[in-house]
Amino acid sequence: MQLVRQKEQTMRKGAHRSRRTLGAALVVAALASAATACSGAAPDRAAPPSPVSSPPSPASGQQAPKKGAAAAPESQAGKAERLRVRKAARALAAKKWGLAGPPLEAPAPPAVKPAITTRKGFETKSEGMPPVFTTVPTKEKIVFLTIDDGAEKDPELLRMMNELDIPYSAFLSDYVVSDDYAYFARMQKSRKDGVALHNHTLNHRYLPGLSYARQEREICGMQDVIEKRFGKRPELFRPPYGNYNDDTLRAARSCGIRAVPLWAAEAFPDRMEWREWDRDLHPGDIVLTHFRGEEDWKGSMADMVRRVMNVITAKGYAVAKLEDYV
């Protein structure tokens, strides 16, 4: 008799567990159905997985991707479509900003940066100094656009360069940027791949006329300012007026500078000026301009961009990012 009662109790517990299991399953099913209805998905199609759900199991004969594995490389069709969209956007921006034509597309940067050496005739007596150069060694038809000092803070420039998708680098002097660090912080983040902010000394002095100690204060002091205000200590330095001596390069090296880019051409709103005898662009040339407005120039910074980009594009060149090569 005792054995019979034990069997009945066991059967009742099993039935109770079955009812609980079935009830839970019905609740889950109801929730899934409601989610499908709310999402508007067809009832015979699987709903997309939740962002926090486990990844689907791999198909038979395939291994699951390793955790943290890199995404699959972009397909040729995807790359072509992305470039088509980018080209179309540039064409619209060029029309909006009054350029003669859209800027040309720069090639992909090299996997290994080229070796930079000091231009012949630009050497100083000490060895192992940061190289001084006006052109980056490359065979690609590219040039690099650089802007000096920071006196003019034109918001139109940030919009224009972002919409045209033109890379550029800024070489800042504290005596003219200190009244509006926020403008250059916006500049730094205004492009998807960023705008690099480099060293052009604290006070834009003629460095060869200063002692080593004063040159070091000018250069290292600006390193400190840029690191404090913009979060990164620069590795590129341009001496004011392009003038330097052995002390300049030794001081720059002591402050963490590894290269000194000068320029091969200079852009203004109404003209170009050239360093080379043939008055032309060459692969890898560095182009200089300044943060200036109509008080100093015959035009605005937007006028200057139109002028220099029309020249660069007409000569078959694209603008590349200096930091990808140096």
Side-chain angles (χ1 to χ4, degrees):
M1 192 67 177
Q2 180 67 23
L3 182 60
V4 170
R5 281 198 296 272
Q6 289 175 348
K7 287 183 178 181
E8 290 176 349
Q9 289 174 354
T10 301
M11 291 174 66
R12 282 196 298 273
K13 289 180 181 178
H16 183 61
R17 284 196 297 269
S18 297
R19 285 195 297 272
R20 283 191 300 178
T21 302
L22 178 60
L26 290 173
V27 169
V28 172
L31 290 173
S33 177
T36 301
C38 290
S39 68
D44 58 340
R45 294 181 182 175
S50 166
V52 297
S53 64
S54 299
S57 300
S60 176
Q62 294 182 346
Q63 292 183 345
K66 293 182 180 179
K67 191 174 182 179
E74 185 179 21
S75 68
Q76 288 297 324
K79 183 177 180 180
E81 175 62 15
R82 178 171 55 81
L83 291 176
R84 185 193 67 79
V85 171
R86 176 183 165 103
K87 185 176 181 180
R90 266 186 157 182
L92 288 173
K95 185 175 182 180
K96 171 184 173 179
W97 291 102
L99 274 66
L104 300 178
E105 187 75 24
V112 178
K113 294 180 180 181
I116 307 293
T117 57
T118 292
R119 177 172 173 164
K120 187 175 181 180
F122 286 56
E123 305 91 346
T124 63
K125 64 182 181 181
S126 295
E127 296 183 357
M129 294 296 100
V132 181
F133 55 101
T134 61
T135 300
V136 173
T138 180
K139 294 181 180 180
E140 302 283 358
K141 290 197 73 174
I142 56 172
V143 295
F144 306 98
L145 184 61
T146 63
I147 312 180
D148 275 10
D149 64 49
E152 180 75 8
K153 300 156 184 75
D154 186 353
E156 189 175 59
L157 174 72
L158 305 187
R159 294 192 297 271
M160 185 179 192
M161 300 301 272
N162 182 50
E163 292 177 14
L164 289 168
D165 198 11
I166 300 171
Y168 61 105
S169 305
F171 288 79
L172 305 182
S173 289
D174 194 52
Y175 84 109
V176 284
V177 305
S178 59
D179 63 339
D180 193 357
Y181 290 123
Y183 174 82
F184 297 96
R186 291 194 299 274
M187 173 181 291
Q188 187 180 35
K189 300 175 181 178
S190 62
R191 286 177 40 80
K192 180 174 62 177
D193 58 350
V195 175
L197 307 179
H198 299 298
N199 190 326
H200 198 43
T201 73
L202 287 173
N203 299 296
H204 207 270
R205 303 290 302 278
Y206 175 72
L207 294 180
L210 304 180
S211 67
Y212 174 85
R214 292 178 67 187
Q215 290 198 52
E216 190 175 47
R217 282 198 295 274
E218 282 288 325
I219 301 168
C220 294
M222 195 60 197
Q223 293 287 88
D224 295 339
V225 168
I226 294 177
E227 182 178 32
K228 178 182 177 181
R229 295 290 180 176
F230 308 112
K232 187 176 181 181
R233 204 166 179 82
E235 294 184 325
L236 304 186
F237 160 68
R238 175 174 287 156
Y241 317 107
N243 294 126
Y244 62 96
N245 60 14
D246 195 67
D247 283 347
T248 310
L249 300 186
R250 290 194 301 110
R253 184 179 63 175
S254 77
C255 303
I257 296 299
R258 61 178 182 83
V260 180
L262 297 184
W263 62 92
E266 186 171 357
F268 299 87
D270 59 339
R271 68 189 190 281
M272 295 287 294
E273 291 186 357
W274 310 91
R275 182 186 295 271
E276 307 301 338
W277 65 271
D278 59 357
R279 301 176 58 80
D280 204 355
L281 291 176
H282 313 87
D285 275 356
I286 298 170
V287 179
L288 163 69
T289 189
H290 288 82
F291 290 96
R292 293 287 186 274
E294 295 180 355
E295 292 182 0
D296 302 293
W297 277 349
K298 296 178 181 179
S300 65
M301 293 210 74
D303 294 329
M304 178 278 298
V305 173
R306 275 187 283 273
R307 162 72 66 167
V308 69
M309 289 309 303
N310 284 342
V311 170
I312 290 170
T313 304
K315 291 178 177 293
Y317 284 81
V319 177
K321 186 176 179 179
L322 181 63
E323 295 74 24
D324 287 339
Y325 289 77
V326 178

